């Protein structure tokens, strides 16, 4: 088992993503919610594909994760998914487990960031209501 | 970044990734565009054929029909309007660029998209598609030609609807399903109003003569077919990529031919007459029979139907008469909606002229 490198960069570049949403916070939140729901389903299927060593399916799902995470400016996750796709298509199948571990670890960071964004927005809304 | 959407071309976003699809739709809508989405290439192709999309933004890699295959399929349509295609992909490199261009893509956008870049590229797309404001120009030409004629009211609007109904009905039959596709249907709707454009070359004293034409005058009158054919043929020669001009030329040249070979100008018979000409011939006559003129009342549908059925195999192609009979309710509905008191879709007001000539209004000149 390889050690997962510690990443210091933010899991989502929120400023870049907000700019892509034309500065609309409501659209950004909506897209992050959709992303979270979609990525959950994809990653569940990815786990199943990894368990059954279905390389074609792994490549397809990694490709999906790569695209979706790039859309929400989750760059590290997108890069890991791209490597995972490459390994599934052309690399050493023995690296599949390590790739999966790294991807799920990064996904966890992304999820925590989305939760914190939602929490920040929620508390801001509460403050607005209170004031 | 929002802009008015009065003349914004409709955009179709094609991507199997729902997040990217929704994101593009939201951003483009915010920019003022009218946007629809498709999740695969085949659905997108059908939406383009049956819709009025002028810009397609498609993902490159999709399950089933890829973005490249969608491009190639859209470019293989012979009669369709030009659709501006932007391929969206994370793929880079000259090889992919060349492959996309060969397939017929107009532009490329990298994923994830940058909204400023997207906006700039769409402005280019808008400029390109606005150069081909074909429908308006074609219909304006037809209305201009018609304006010299007698009070034919919404004749062009009705007959293009009738032509479309007949083409649609025929396309559902095994004999014509491979000959008539959605592009043909759209093109006949677009070009059938040009059938009498040659009348611009007929002198007023004949075109507007209130009484019956002498045989010599009628010979001159018949020249409108040749004039129309030559005009549209010159346009087609100048712009051979505009296939719809070929269809317009064939309609102008042959809509007075008769199935039994007794029509003019060439006495073509049966399938020597192009299908578009056979279709428009019936549409034109039905409208002439069922609408009011100064010298006559509108004929009831049943009476016009009887004449058309009696002309099955002589004046008209039997297959087209049969299609008419299957669509007669729809014909009556068009007639009701587009009667001359409630015409719509006319881009130019009708010009009222003092004289009327029955021989001009009845295409065959024998049914009067």
């Amino acid at each position: 088992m390889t050690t997962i490198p510690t990443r210091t960069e933010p899991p989502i570049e929120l400023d870049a993503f907000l700019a892509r949403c034309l500065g609309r916070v409501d659209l950004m939140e909506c897209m992050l919610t959709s992303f979270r729901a979609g990525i959950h389903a994809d990653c569940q299927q990815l786990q199943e594909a990894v368990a059954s060593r279905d390389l074609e399916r792994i490549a397809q799902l990694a490709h999906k994760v790569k695209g979706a995470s790039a859309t929400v400016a989750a760059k590290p996750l997108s890069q890991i998914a791209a490597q995972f796709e490459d390994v599934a298509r052309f690399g050493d199948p023995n690296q599949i487990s390590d790739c999966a571990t790294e991807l799920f670890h990064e996904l966890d960071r992304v999820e925590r960031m989305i939760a914190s964004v939602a929490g920040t927005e929620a508390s801001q809304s509460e403050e607005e209501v209170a004031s | 970044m929002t802009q008015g959407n009065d003349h914004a071309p409709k955009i179709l976003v094609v991507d199997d990734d729902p997040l990217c699809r929704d994101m593009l739709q939201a951003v483009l809508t915010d920019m003022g565009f009218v946007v629809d989405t498709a999740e695969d290439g085949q659905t997108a192709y059908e939406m383009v054929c049956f819709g009025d999309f002028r810009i397609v933004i498609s993902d490159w890699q999709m399950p089933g029909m890829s973005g490249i295959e969608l491009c190639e399929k859209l470019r293989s349509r012979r009669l369709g309007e030009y659709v501006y295609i932007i391929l969206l992909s994370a793929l880079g490199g000259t090889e992919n660029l060349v492959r996309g261009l060969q397939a017929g893509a107009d532009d490329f956008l990298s994923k994830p998209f940058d909204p400023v870049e997207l906006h700039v590229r769409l402005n280019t797309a808008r400029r390109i598609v606005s150069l081909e404001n074909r429908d308006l120009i074609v219909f304006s030409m037809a209305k201009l030609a018609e304006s010299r004629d007698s009070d034919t009211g919404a004749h062009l609007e009705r007959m293009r609807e009738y032509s479309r109904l007949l083409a649609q009905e025929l396309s559902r039959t095994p004999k014509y399903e491979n000959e008539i596709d959605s592009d043909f249907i759209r093109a006949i709707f677009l070009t059938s109003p040009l059938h009498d454009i040659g009348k611009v070359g007929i002198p007023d004293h004949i075109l507007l003569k209130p009484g019956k034409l002498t045989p010599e005058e009628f010979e001159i009158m018949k020249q409108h077919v040749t004039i129309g054919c030559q005009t549209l043929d010159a346009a087609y020669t100048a712009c051979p990529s505009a296939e719809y001009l070929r269809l317009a030329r064939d309609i102008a040249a042959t809509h007075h031919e008769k199935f039994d070979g007794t029509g003019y100008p060439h006495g073509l018979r049966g399938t020597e007459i192009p299908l578009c000409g056979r279709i428009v011939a019936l549409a034109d006559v039905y409208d002439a029979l069922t609408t009011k003129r100064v010298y006559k009342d509108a004929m009831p549908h049943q009476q016009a139907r009887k004449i058309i059925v009696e002309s099955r195999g002589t004046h008209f192609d039997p297959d087209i008469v049969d299609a008419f009979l299957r669509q007669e309710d729809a014909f009556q509905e068009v007639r009701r909606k587009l009667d001359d008191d409630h015409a719509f879709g006319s881009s130019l007001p009708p010009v009222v002229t003092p004289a009327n000539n029955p021989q001009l209004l009845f295409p065959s000149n024998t049914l009067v």
Side-chain angles (χ1 to χ4, degrees):
Chain A
M1 179 171 293
T2 53
T3 311
I4 297 168
T6 306
R7 292 184 177 270
T8 53
E9 71 268 50
I12 298 176
E13 292 179 3
L14 279 182
D15 288 346
F17 185 46
L18 186 58
R20 192 168 300 143
C21 294
L22 307 176
R24 282 177 48 193
V25 175
D26 62 326
L27 178 59
M28 184 178 79
E29 287 176 351
C30 177
M31 287 297 135
L32 285 175
T33 305
S34 297
F35 168 74
R36 188 153 60 166
I39 209 87
H40 260 299
D42 290 340
C43 287
Q44 204 164 359
Q45 290 179 50
L46 189 56
Q47 267 179 326
E48 289 164 12
V50 169
S52 60
R53 310 287 283 179
D54 182 346
L55 295 180
E56 179 56 36
R57 186 76 182 127
I58 291 169
Q60 283 172 0
L61 289 162
H63 179 81
K64 278 183 82 174
V65 172
K66 177 182 76 175
S69 47
T71 300
V72 298
K75 262 189 182 171
L77 182 58
S78 184
Q79 286 164 356
I80 293 166
Q83 286 165 6
F84 200 175
E85 183 187 357
D86 275 351
V87 167
R89 286 198 199 283
F90 316 110
D92 178 3
N94 293 322
Q95 292 182 317
I96 292 291
S97 296
D98 291 344
C99 286
T101 306
E102 192 180 0
L103 185 136
F104 289 119
H105 183 264
E106 182 59 25
L107 178 64
D108 189 47
R109 284 205 325 137
V110 168
E111 292 231 56
R112 275 188 274 123
M113 182 156 193
I114 293 175
S116 79
V117 170
T120 307
E121 296 300 330
S123 57
Q124 276 178 353
S125 301
E126 282 162 18
E127 280 170 22
E128 282 167 17
V129 171
S131 64
Chain B
M1 200 170 283
T2 301
Q3 59 196 58
N5 64 356
D6 292 350
H7 303 290
K10 268 180 82 174
I11 298 178
L12 180 63
V13 171
V14 194
D15 201 321
D16 60 310
D17 175 3
L19 193 73
C20 188
R21 209 167 56 227
D22 293 348
M23 180 86 191
L24 269 169
Q25 183 173 30
V27 168
L28 291 168
T29 302
D30 205 72
M31 288 176 178
F33 291 98
V34 179
V35 188
D36 209 340
T37 61
E39 61 182 46
D40 60 74
Q42 184 58 39
T43 306
Y45 178 73
E46 285 160 17
M47 287 173 78
V48 170
C49 288
F50 291 98
D52 55 353
F53 299 98
R54 302 303 309 275
I55 300 172
V56 171
I57 301 175
S58 175
D59 189 22
W60 188 302
Q61 285 179 291
M62 292 184 286
M65 188 188 291
S66 69
I68 287 283
E69 288 164 335
L70 174 63
C71 252
E72 287 168 343
K73 202 162 178 190
L74 287 173
R75 292 292 179 245
S76 70
R77 298 158 72 220
R78 290 191 310 125
L79 295 168
E81 282 183 311
Y82 192 77
V83 176
Y84 193 91
I85 304 171
I86 300 174
L87 281 178
L88 193 62
S89 176
L91 296 173
T94 312
E95 194 183 322
N96 285 319
L97 189 74
V98 171
R99 205 168 141 232
L101 289 169
Q102 280 173 337
D106 294 288
D107 203 354
F108 303 89
L109 199 61
S110 55
K111 273 175 110 172
F113 68 88
D114 173 73
V116 177
E117 185 185 357
L118 176 68
H119 193 250
V120 170
R121 288 183 189 273
L122 282 171
N123 276 342
T124 305
R126 284 165 64 113
R127 279 200 301 275
I128 300 289
V129 297
S130 68
L131 292 175
E132 204 209 27
N133 209 344
R134 188 184 69 174
D135 297 21
L136 183 62
I137 292 168
V138 169
F139 196 67
S140 298
M141 280 167 66
K143 289 300 281 187
L144 193 62
E146 192 192 41
S147 70
R148 286 191 63 236
D149 205 342
S150 309
D151 57 343
T152 49
H155 169 62
L156 298 182
E157 288 87 338
R158 285 187 300 270
M159 71 157 294
R160 69 178 180 179
E161 294 288 351
Y162 296 145
S163 299
R164 175 160 63 180
L165 281 171
L166 290 171
Q168 280 172 334
E169 180 58 35
L170 288 167
S171 75
R172 289 190 276 268
T173 62
K175 186 173 174 182
Y176 293 97
E177 65 182 1
N178 292 325
E179 192 171 357
I180 301 179
D181 58 11
S182 54
D183 287 338
F184 180 97
I185 293 166
R186 200 195 309 251
I188 203 167
F189 179 80
L190 173 72
T191 58
S192 54
L194 291 170
H195 66 294
D196 273 342
I197 194 168
K199 283 184 179 172
V200 295
I202 303 300
D204 278 356
H205 73 275
I206 295 175
L207 188 65
L208 305 176
K209 185 177 176 181
K212 188 174 169 60
L213 296 179
T214 65
E216 294 76 22
E217 288 170 336
F218 188 57
E219 283 306 310
I220 294 171
M221 184 60 213
K222 281 159 66 174
Q223 289 175 10
H224 82 275
V225 169
T226 310
I227 295 167
C229 172
Q230 287 172 345
T231 303
L232 292 164
D233 190 55
Y236 179 50
T237 304
C239 187
S241 62
E243 272 284 319
Y244 65 93
L245 288 173
R246 181 182 56 76
L247 200 78
R249 178 200 65 191
D250 291 349
I251 289 170
T254 62
H255 71 284
H256 284 292
E257 299 287 1
K258 293 183 181 177
F259 199 71
D260 62 3
T262 62
Y264 66 89
H266 298 299
L268 301 177
R269 63 171 63 230
T271 53
E272 288 174 350
I273 309 165
L275 179 59
C276 55
R278 284 178 273 149
I279 290 173
V280 170
L282 193 152
D284 197 18
V285 168
Y286 177 82
D287 191 59
L289 292 173
T290 55
T291 49
K292 189 180 175 186
R293 299 289 186 264
V294 170
Y295 64 90
K296 74 168 189 76
D297 282 333
M299 190 180 280
H301 169 78
Q302 286 303 328
Q303 201 177 339
R305 178 190 195 277
K306 185 169 177 288
I307 290 171
I308 287 172
V309 169
E310 284 170 358
S311 305
R312 185 179 184 278
T314 53
H315 190 154
F316 303 119
D317 181 338
D319 291 342
I320 294 168
V321 173
D322 294 344
F324 162 72
L325 293 174
R326 289 194 297 274
Q327 285 293 320
E328 62 178 316
D329 290 346
F331 266 64
Q332 292 183 81
E333 182 64 13
V334 168
R335 184 184 163 208
R336 190 185 62 74
K337 280 188 178 166
L338 287 175
D339 68 50
D340 286 340
D341 294 331
H342 302 94
F344 63 81
S346 169
S347 55
L348 294 172
V351 174
V352 178
T353 56
N356 295 280
N357 186 334
Q359 283 168 300
L360 302 182
L361 302 176
F362 284 81
S364 69
N365 198 38
T366 56
L367 293 170
V368 183

